Amino acid sequence: MAVVPAPSTPTHELGDARFTSLATPSRGSSETSVWLVEIAPGAEGTPHRLTREEVFVVLSGEARVSLAGEVSVATAGDAIVVPPRVPFALAPAGDQPLRALCCLPVGGQGQLADGEPFTPPWAE
């Protein structure tokens, strides 16, 4: 299937973040998971690591990016490349929601500081 229609509403919610699965194995993609993430202003980023490289493209708002302890800000049009196994957190910077497109290879997993690797449900 070449065109996968977008869901009419977000597919997952977690705290102040909403995720909309766009292209995932459950939606017909076999190599790459792609989703839209929307994070409310004031939300704190959850520190975690990834087992595979993850790429975000900021669509609107600003992102506060913590990567290996270094903090920077990404704005609309910027790409954020998160290498595997590097501590990472993402949150809105400022008073606007953050909207970003995210891409992760199928099979990529997240890992919280004290936990086992897991596949985010929005990437399945």
Side-chain angles (χ1 to χ4, degrees), residues 84-112:
R85 296 173 294 287
V86 173
F88 167 73
L90 179 73
D95 59 358
Q96 297 297 312
L98 169 63
R99 292 183 75 239
L101 195 64
C102 182
C103 303
L104 180 71
V106 168
Q109 295 185 300
Q111 185 175 17
L112 299 175

Side-chain angles (χ1 to χ4, degrees), residues 54-101:
E54 185 173 37
V55 176
F56 293 85
V57 177
V58 177
L59 301 175
S60 62
E62 295 182 334
R64 184 177 69 245
V65 181
S66 175
L67 188 60
E70 186 174 318
V71 177
S72 56
V73 174
T75 60
D78 290 346
I80 303 163
V81 179
V82 182
R85 296 173 294 287
V86 173
F88 167 73
L90 179 73
D95 59 358
Q96 297 297 312
L98 169 63
R99 292 183 75 239
L101 195 64

